[in-house]
Amino acid sequence: MGHRGQAPSSRWQVGDGPRLFREVVRRLGAGVALDDLGLDKVDGRVDLRRIPGRGLMLAGCHVIGVDFTGAFLADANFADVHFENCVFAKVELVSAVITGGSFVDCSFRDGDVRETSIWNATLRGLDFSVRKSSYLSVANSVFVDCKFGRLSRTEFSRSEFVDCRFLEGLSDVRFLGRPTRDDASPCYLRRVEFVSDDLTWVEFDGYEFEDVVFPSSDRLIVVPTRFAMVAERAGLLSLTRRDDIGKEFRRFLSSQTVQRPGLSDTAGWAISKRDLILSHPAGEELAEFAAEMISEAQRQLSSEGVLDASSQP
């Protein structure tokens, strides 16, 4: 057929490449095996590297053991598609829409997932060490046993994380877990580890922390549970300071709690001191004051038996 041994980027464009591409897409959509098309294997997976699949639409099918390394899948639409043991390394999955379905034991290492939307999906055993993630939006999804690389400008809304590790820095990443009108159930971070303290403008809003580990670092302020109560006590403690720093700290606490209703009594919270430093002309002083007040609030509430002392940093 003339495609064995050719460079992955050219085999889809020359000779019988276009016909092969159409047959591959037809079979993927129909859930038909690709084994008899004469395609090479890469580490046991069917070789679809660099396939030009812009706008590829798949629905209600299973894709197992395929190597999509370097594939161009911008504007793809996957509805209730289940991928298993697939490689999406260096994939261009920009502005894609993924609804339902799952990714199991797959890798997106060095992939580009900018402006992609993922909704109501299950992601298990995933290597999500992507290269670009700006404006990635994930909602109502579940991550289990996944590892993440550096992320920026990414939003996770009403999504749960279980046995996951964030290995690198995060910038402008939002974890939004507050209940909604349609779903009042709590959202959890369970047995999740954040390895790096390089967190900038990372927001944890409304998530329940269960065995969540942050690095031991004076660059972070962490409240593992009952943030609303801790914030209220810290605000009262800060009244000893009536200057701009004290007022700014209380405004900040209000912005994190009462100004956004729906925060559960038990939700955790964390922030990088860098965010406070960058937000105010006297940021260094504000950050240290915030850390002092929040730490003292946690200490007092723990001594009163309101907080579990073993859960406090």
Side-chain angles (χ1 to χ4, degrees):
M1 296 180 67
H3 48 268
R4 280 190 180 274
Q6 290 182 336
S9 58
S10 64
R11 60 180 166 146
W12 306 106
Q13 303 165 1
V14 300
D16 64 348
R19 184 201 62 78
L20 177 64
F21 168 74
R22 291 191 296 271
E23 180 62 14
V24 165
V25 172
R26 184 192 72 79
R27 292 195 182 196
L28 286 175
V32 177
L34 306 174
D35 295 339
D36 62 347
L37 292 179
L39 293 162
D40 289 331
K41 293 285 186 76
V42 181
D43 295 328
R45 302 179 185 90
V46 177
D47 183 5
L48 297 187
R49 290 177 297 170
R50 299 190 189 176
I51 190 168
R54 180 166 194 160
L56 177 65
M57 299 182 67
L58 298 176
C61 59
H62 288 74
V63 181
I64 301 174
V66 175
D67 191 334
F68 291 99
T69 295
F72 185 68
L73 301 177
D75 302 314
N77 191 310
F78 301 145
D80 295 317
V81 179
H82 298 275
F83 293 92
E84 183 176 347
N85 187 28
C86 293
V87 174
F88 295 88
K90 299 181 180 178
V91 69
E92 298 289 326
L93 192 67
V94 177
S95 300
V97 176
I98 299 169
T99 55
S102 62
F103 292 84
V104 177
D105 296 330
C106 296
S107 172
F108 282 82
R109 181 170 289 277
D110 293 326
D112 185 349
V113 294
R114 288 172 298 166
E115 300 182 22
T116 283
S117 173
I118 301 174
W119 183 79
N120 200 31
T122 298
L123 306 100
R124 184 184 299 271
L126 197 70
D127 181 349
F128 207 68
S129 305
V130 297
R131 177 171 49 91
K132 297 179 180 179
S133 65
S134 295
Y135 305 110
L136 168 68
S137 175
V138 183
N140 298 90
S141 296
V142 178
F143 293 85
V144 180
D145 192 24
C146 297
K147 63 180 181 180
F148 299 82
R150 185 170 296 275
L151 296 174
S152 64
R153 297 181 181 178
T154 298
E155 180 174 296
F156 299 102
S157 176
R158 299 290 300 164
S159 295
E160 296 207 357
F161 298 81
V162 181
D163 295 320
C164 293
R165 302 185 75 211
F166 290 82
L167 302 174
E168 299 183 51
L170 306 178
S171 175
D172 196 10
V173 176
R174 306 175 75 199
F175 296 85
L176 307 179
R178 294 199 189 201
T180 64
R181 182 180 301 176
D182 298 327
D183 185 1
S185 63
C187 268
Y188 285 91
L189 294 168
R190 281 194 173 105
R191 299 183 300 279
V192 173
E193 181 181 8
F194 294 87
V195 175
S196 173
D197 67 355
D198 183 13
L199 307 181
T200 305
W201 304 120
V202 178
E203 181 178 2
F204 296 91
D205 184 45
Y207 266 87
E208 309 292 325
F209 287 14
E210 187 175 295
D211 295 326
V212 176
V213 177
F214 289 89
S216 179
S217 170
D218 60 6
R219 297 173 65 181
L220 304 177
I221 304 173
V222 179
V223 180
T225 186
R226 297 191 177 276
F227 170 61
M229 181 183 294
V230 172
E232 182 179 11
R233 178 64 63 90
L236 291 173
L237 291 171
S238 75
L239 290 174
T240 57
R241 188 161 181 172
R242 301 284 183 170
D243 62 358
D244 182 57
I245 294 296
K247 292 177 181 178
E248 183 62 30
F249 174 61
R250 290 186 287 277
R251 280 195 293 268
F252 169 73
L253 289 179
S254 178
S255 74
Q256 299 291 302
T257 54
V258 298
Q259 291 182 20
R260 287 182 287 182
L263 184 67
S264 77
D265 291 339
T266 53
W269 177 87
I271 193 172
S272 170
K273 287 183 181 178
R274 182 185 301 168
D275 298 355
L276 294 169
I277 292 170
L278 295 175
S279 69
H280 192 273
E284 292 277 1
E285 186 178 2
L286 174 61
E288 291 307 316
F289 182 67
E292 178 186 349
M293 291 297 98
I294 290 173
S295 177
E296 177 60 18
Q298 291 180 93
R299 189 196 67 76
Q300 289 187 11
L301 291 169
S302 294
S303 67
E304 294 166 14
V306 179
L307 292 181
D308 180 0
S310 65
S311 70
Q312 302 309 303

